[in-house]
Amino acid sequence: MTRHTPQATLLSVLFMGLGQWYNRQFMKGLLFASIEIAGIYWIASRLGKSVQGLFSLGDTPRGMVKVGKVYQPVDGDHSIFLMVEGLISLILVLLLVFLYCICIRDARLTALNREKGIKPHSFRVTLSNMANRNFPYLILAIPVTAALLLTVMPIIFSVLVAFTDFAAPNLPPAKLVHWVGFDVFKNLVNLGSWSKTLVGVATWTVVWAVAATLTTYLLGTIVAVLIQQKGIRLKAFWRTMLVIPFAVPNLVSLLVFRNLLNEEFGPINQYLELLGLSGLPWLNDPTWARITVIFVNLWLGFPLIMILVSGILTTIPKDLYEAAEVDGAPRFYTFRVITLPLVLYSTAPILIMQFAGNFNNFNVIFLLTNGNPVVPEYVYAGGTDLLVTWLYKLTLTNNQYNFASVLSILVFIFIASVSILNYRRTRSFKEEDLIQ
């Protein structure tokens, strides 16, 4: 038996397409060879400059240069554009390496088939196989490519910015950005004002996430169980009325609450004054503002849990409740032993998602308080700012991109760690075959 595998593999390693030509697949070999020729041309003409720009972030800032007796503007290097171009170049290099490996694998598999007496596919058969057998991979390649360019690359870019001095007043193209290592991380911890803001905002973010998650979950569950009880009339009416806060767009509800709770002209304080009571600083005092946003979020969020738990309650076998009733078990004992464990089993992953969502709940805070009231000791943050709203202010309002990138990294690490750890500890993950 003639061995073709070593020759085809070696030729593909030397140059893309040679292995396919050795296997007498000339069109496929020409296609791979064209890719390598284009790749070599791009590497020789652009890659070196792009990688150099990524490492140096530019050498010439924008300015005025005297030419004769006249000053003329010079564009200079744009550090951020150089960083993005360098990132795209590295991704293209990885894509070329991926295609290179596919080429070698294809040549090797075809050679193995030849050794077994299987004739290599013609180019037409190869295209037909790609359109039929490999059709799912072709379709999946489109969103994967989009995710790589639109999601992965921005994430890598954001991480890189955390290691630069990209922040006002050092903004391109007027000035160049430089790599500063972990200085931004150290400043966030060591600088008094920044560290105090970080600790304050992070602590409130955790308190908010826990309180917002637990309050909506508990109230939604209790309301769903109460409506599900025997003897409750007009169940559909109660569910419809209570789901209205969820049906109204959050934007509208939050802006209405913002006006209702206004300390100076809000109707709630006016009603309190008519009753002889003094108005409360619902949104103007840090403590009251935090309590207020938790209650407003409770009003907006519990209907979703109520609907979810109502659906789960219909799946619990009635035999369990009938057996408990025959044994004379009190209602609360039945709820604690039967209802609550089964509801928790089904909703634990959603509870974790709720916690992660509330940790990054931008809308409620931004639309209701805009992060206010102001706390003089904080840097670019207010009394109700979460990490995500502080991050927003740092980037779009104050141009502190490097500090914002550090925050986004810390938030990602915390949320990912807590979510994965808690999900792996839930019964839904450990006993996924319990209810089927």
Side-chain angles (χ1 to χ4, degrees), residues 69-80:
K69 296 182 180 180
V70 181
Y71 281 94
Q72 294 182 350
V74 177
D75 284 340
D77 296 325
H78 196 298
S79 301
I80 301 305

Side-chain angles (χ1 to χ4, degrees), residues 106-119:
D106 176 76
R108 183 174 179 277
L109 291 178
T110 305
L112 284 172
N113 287 334
R114 289 182 65 189
E115 292 173 1
K116 295 176 183 176
I118 302 174
K119 187 179 179 180

Side-chain angles (χ1 to χ4, degrees), residues 34-306:
S34 301
I35 292 173
E36 176 147 351
I37 292 171
I40 291 173
Y41 174 77
W42 172 75
I43 289 172
S45 60
R46 297 292 304 172
L47 182 61
K49 186 178 178 182
S50 299
V51 173
Q52 183 185 0
L54 177 61
F55 281 100
S56 68
L57 297 181
D59 303 317
T60 308
R62 173 182 287 181
M64 303 294 289
V65 176
K66 188 175 183 181
V67 180
K69 296 182 180 180
V70 181
Y71 281 94
Q72 294 182 350
V74 177
D75 284 340
D77 296 325
H78 196 298
S79 301
I80 301 305
F81 290 170
L82 292 174
M83 185 186 293
V84 173
E85 185 180 351
L87 269 179
I88 294 175
S89 299
L90 292 180
I91 291 175
L92 288 177
V93 168
L94 293 177
L95 182 60
L96 279 175
V97 171
F98 177 70
L99 291 175
Y100 189 68
C101 294
I102 286 181
C103 175
I104 296 173
R105 180 176 179 272
D106 176 76
R108 183 174 179 277
L109 291 178
T110 305
L112 284 172
N113 287 334
R114 289 182 65 189
E115 292 173 1
K116 295 176 183 176
I118 302 174
K119 187 179 179 180
H121 294 311
S122 64
F123 190 64
R124 179 178 297 177
V125 174
T126 302
L127 291 178
S128 177
N129 288 338
M130 289 180 65
N132 296 307
R133 191 172 58 189
N134 297 323
F135 181 75
Y137 296 106
L138 288 176
I139 297 301
L140 289 174
I142 297 173
V144 168
T145 304
L148 188 66
L149 294 176
L150 303 178
T151 303
V152 176
M153 195 185 79
I155 290 175
I156 298 174
F157 172 77
S158 176
V159 172
L160 291 180
V161 168
F163 297 93
T164 68
D165 58 355
F166 183 30
N170 188 47
L171 298 175
K175 295 183 179 180
L176 294 175
V177 173
H178 306 91
W179 296 108
V180 295
F182 287 92
D183 286 357
V184 184
F185 291 83
K186 295 175 184 175
N187 291 337
L188 193 60
V189 176
N190 295 330
L191 293 180
S193 55
W194 282 96
S195 62
K196 189 170 185 177
T197 308
L198 175 64
V199 172
V201 174
T203 304
W204 159 238
T205 302
V206 173
V207 171
W208 151 263
V210 173
T213 305
L214 290 182
T215 52
T216 53
Y217 186 82
L218 290 176
L219 183 60
T221 303
I222 291 171
V223 171
V225 171
L226 289 176
I227 294 177
Q228 193 70 16
Q229 294 297 304
K230 286 182 179 178
I232 299 294
R233 296 180 179 180
L234 304 174
K235 292 182 179 180
F237 169 77
W238 293 117
R239 290 195 184 101
T240 304
M241 292 299 295
L242 291 173
V243 87
I244 287 178
F246 180 72
V248 177
N250 275 3
L251 171 67
V252 176
S253 299
L254 290 168
L255 293 180
V256 169
F257 271 110
R258 186 170 182 166
N259 287 292
L260 287 174
L261 298 168
N262 188 284
E263 185 177 0
E264 297 179 358
F265 56 81
I268 293 179
N269 273 356
Q270 291 184 11
Y271 290 137
L272 289 176
E273 291 173 0
L274 288 176
L275 295 173
L277 302 173
S278 58
L280 293 173
W282 300 104
L283 303 177
N284 296 336
D285 176 78
T287 304
W288 274 107
R290 290 169 180 170
I291 295 172
T292 301
V293 293
I294 290 175
F295 274 96
V296 171
N297 180 75
L298 174 62
W299 173 252
L300 298 177
F302 89 89
L304 176 64
I305 302 297
M306 182 194 71

Side-chain angles (χ1 to χ4, degrees), residues 4 7-34 36 99-111 114 120-123 126:
H4 299 289
Q7 293 89 333
T9 305
L10 180 61
L11 287 171
S12 287
V13 171
L14 292 176
F15 199 90
M16 290 174 67
L18 289 181
Q20 282 71 24
W21 284 337
Y22 175 80
N23 291 325
R24 300 173 185 175
Q25 294 179 304
F26 298 107
M27 287 300 295
K28 187 191 287 186
L30 182 62
L31 181 62
F32 277 119
S34 301
E36 176 147 351
L99 291 175
Y100 189 68
C101 294
I102 286 181
C103 175
I104 296 173
R105 180 176 179 272
D106 176 76
R108 183 174 179 277
L109 291 178
T110 305
R114 289 182 65 189
H121 294 311
S122 64
F123 190 64
T126 302

